[in-house]
Amino acid sequence: VDLCVPHCLAEGLLGTIPIYSEWINPLPTGIDWNYMVWDDETEDGEAGRIGGFAMAILGIGTDIVEIERIEKSLSNPRFLQKCFTLQEIEYCKNKGVSASKSFAGYFAAKESVAKALGSGFKGFLPRDIEVCHNALGRPFVKFSEKVNFCETNKIFISISHEDRYATALAIIEE
């Protein structure tokens, strides 16, 4: 028996992918796999329960930067002014010895968001994308009025770093 991954998980990337019943258990019946939605995030910052699956991914962006390269750029006030808001600068500087890792992660996040938007930084600067954190530390972004972003869409970001590199991923969902 052939089963298919719900088209919302694969459509637009690979089309509908056939999966054989020997590989997975059959999908539950009685669920409209074509239209399911996430509940909004709760006020305490925890992700809401899954009310479903359907999401239209409008953009994906990723970036990786060398922390040392960003660390060298931090001595240039023009770089700081062009790339980071005052709140971001304060947050990263409060990280002490790991400040350059935080700046590099924020820079990678801004690059990945610009890529996910599909426009790069046309018409705005990196500082027009502000990286923030909720009460649990989950990163999210705020946009200045210069960034063309439909507020009914959602954007998810993930930031990570290690000794030499920082990386970020951004997904924009309808």
Side-chain angles (χ1 to χ4, degrees):
V1 173
D2 288 348
L3 296 177
C4 290
V5 173
H7 83 274
C8 57
L9 299 178
E11 190 170 277
L13 296 175
L14 302 172
T16 303
I17 303 169
I19 296 181
Y20 300 96
S21 58
E22 303 90 58
W23 299 347
I24 63 168
N25 293 327
L27 296 172
T29 58
I31 297 174
D32 183 357
W33 290 100
N34 295 316
Y35 181 74
M36 300 180 77
V37 295
W38 285 90
D39 286 346
D40 288 332
E41 185 176 278
T42 60
E43 285 185 23
D44 63 357
E46 292 185 26
R49 66 179 171 21
I50 295 177
F53 269 70
M55 65 178 110
I57 295 178
L58 302 176
I60 298 174
T62 187
D63 195 55
I64 184 168
V65 297
E66 284 185 276
I67 293 170
E68 185 177 335
R69 183 178 68 108
I70 298 298
E71 188 172 26
K72 289 177 183 176
S73 299
L74 293 175
S75 61
N76 180 347
R78 288 184 56 208
F79 174 77
L80 283 173
Q81 182 184 20
K82 179 181 172 182
C83 294
F84 303 102
T85 66
L86 294 175
Q87 292 82 2
E88 291 171 322
I89 293 169
E90 182 180 333
Y91 176 87
C92 291
K93 285 186 174 180
N94 285 335
K95 291 293 189 173
V97 294
S98 66
S100 58
K101 290 180 180 181
S102 294
F103 276 114
Y106 277 28
F107 188 82
K110 293 165 182 273
E111 288 278 347
S112 67
V113 169
K115 290 174 183 178
L117 289 169
S119 64
F121 289 108
K122 279 200 183 226
F124 62 93
L125 296 171
R127 73 167 178 248
D128 293 314
I129 300 170
E130 183 176 8
V131 179
C132 306
H133 297 272
N134 70 10
L136 297 175
R138 179 179 172 192
F140 64 94
V141 293
K142 293 180 184 177
F143 297 108
S144 79
E145 66 282 348
K146 294 179 182 177
V147 180
N148 185 17
F149 183 75
C150 179
E151 293 197 20
T152 61
N153 295 335
K154 294 181 180 181
I155 186 161
F156 301 93
I157 63 168
S158 179
I159 305 169
S160 186
H161 55 72
E162 54 92 39
D163 291 337
R164 295 183 54 209
Y165 297 98
T167 186
L169 170 73
I171 299 174
I172 299 175
E173 171 186 296
E174 188 171 42

